[in-house]
């Protein structure tokens, strides 16, 4: 019989997790983007190959999206956004995080929580990247303006999506300042 667990993280709780992301980032400080993404992919592979709780499996694709976002040369993620994504991935690259991943059943609870937080924090980046991937797939199907080259088409879409991402992030920051922030995390 499955058990549903729901809880809220208050500001002080969120600060704790953000501090752990910063700590992981410092620990990975001299690591290259490739080293961080490779280690994050190792964690993803371990999750997919191992016997981990379903609540982790259900979230792990979002971490892969972050890796793909950093590695995608056509996406050309700007330095600031790239740094934010790598900071998040640095946490997943460390198997000795808040709860070591080697602890049966519980080892990935912190990772599941962190995935929820990272997805919430980087929602606009993830949404924009997902849309870019859709536009690229459309382009491959030649469903675009025939007067534009592939590079021109993707360049226009990329600029539009980067601009949308930054606009939405600015709007989110403005509205977050006006209200208390609580994040509900649901583990299935």
């Amino acid at each position: 019989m499955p058990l549903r667990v729901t809880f809220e993280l208050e500001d002080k709780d969120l600060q704790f997790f953000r501090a752990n992301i910063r700590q992981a980032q410092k620990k990975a400080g001299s690591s290259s983007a490739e080293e961080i993404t490779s280690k994050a992919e190792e964690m993803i592979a371990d999750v997919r190959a191992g016997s981990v709780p379903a609540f982790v499996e259900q979230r792990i694709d979002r971490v892969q999206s972050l890796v793909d976002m950093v590695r995608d040369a056509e996406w050309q993620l700007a330095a600031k956004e790239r740094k934010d994504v790598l900071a998040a991935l640095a946490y997943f690259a460390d198997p000795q995080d808040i709860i070591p991943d080697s602890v049966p059943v519980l080892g990935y609870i912190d990772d599941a929580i962190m995935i929820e937080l990272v997805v919430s924090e980087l929602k606009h980046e993830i949404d924009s990247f997902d849309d870019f991937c859709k536009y690229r797939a459309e382009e491959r199907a030649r469903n675009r303006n025939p007067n534009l080259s592939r590079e021109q088409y993707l360049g226009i879409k990329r600029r539009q999506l980067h601009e949308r991402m930054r606009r939405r992030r600015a709007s989110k920051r403005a509205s977050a300042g006006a209200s208390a922030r609580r994040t509900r995390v649901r583990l299935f």
Side-chain angles (χ1 to χ4, degrees):
M1 178 175 118
L3 171 70
R4 183 178 298 247
V5 177
T6 303
F7 57 91
E8 272 187 8
L9 297 176
E10 296 181 0
D11 284 338
K12 66 181 178 175
D13 305 318
L14 293 171
Q15 289 170 1
F16 171 78
F17 280 96
R18 286 188 182 107
N20 276 277
I21 282 183
R22 286 190 299 274
Q23 191 174 46
Q25 185 183 16
K26 283 181 189 174
K27 192 174 179 181
S30 61
S31 300
S32 69
E34 185 54 37
E35 290 170 322
I36 292 170
T37 55
S38 292
K39 286 181 181 178
E41 281 191 315
E42 286 175 24
M43 187 275 283
I44 294 166
D46 289 346
V47 166
R48 289 183 175 150
S51 177
V52 298
F55 63 81
V56 177
E57 283 184 60
Q58 293 166 352
R59 290 164 173 81
I60 204 65
D61 288 339
R62 299 321 282 166
V63 178
Q64 185 64 56
S65 290
L66 296 174
V67 170
D68 295 344
M69 187 184 307
V70 169
R71 288 189 172 160
D72 191 324
E74 290 182 321
W75 178 231
Q76 299 176 5
L77 194 59
K80 187 212 177 304
E81 286 92 5
R82 183 178 172 84
K83 181 181 173 189
D84 290 345
V85 172
L86 285 169
L89 287 173
Y91 182 85
F92 301 111
D94 183 4
Q96 298 300 316
D97 46 27
I98 296 171
I99 303 172
D101 295 346
S102 60
V103 176
V105 181
L106 302 176
Y108 288 104
I109 286 178
D110 62 311
D111 296 284
I113 293 169
M114 196 62 78
I115 291 169
E116 289 294 321
L117 294 172
V118 165
V119 167
S120 173
E121 289 291 320
L122 297 174
K123 178 183 180 0
H124 305 301
E125 288 82 351
I126 293 168
D127 289 347
S128 294
F129 178 66
D130 288 348
D131 287 347
F132 181 76
C133 291
K134 288 176 192 170
Y135 287 128
R136 183 170 37 202
E138 285 176 11
E139 190 284 327
R140 283 191 185 115
R142 308 295 285 163
N143 191 12
R144 63 166 166 83
N145 182 338
N147 297 323
L148 295 175
S149 71
R150 177 182 192 276
E151 291 75 23
Q152 290 170 320
Y153 173 80
L154 291 178
I156 290 166
K157 293 301 182 184
R158 180 180 44 251
R159 282 188 298 279
Q160 289 171 343
L161 291 167
H162 281 204
E163 188 176 307
R164 181 187 81 182
M165 174 179 65
R166 291 182 186 110
R167 245 188 353 262
R168 288 181 176 177
R169 176 157 300 286
S171 176
K172 179 182 174 182
R173 283 187 188 127
S175 66
S179 64
R181 293 184 62 187
R182 286 190 164 182
T183 300
R184 179 172 284 251
V185 177
R186 178 171 262 167
L187 302 178
F188 298 92

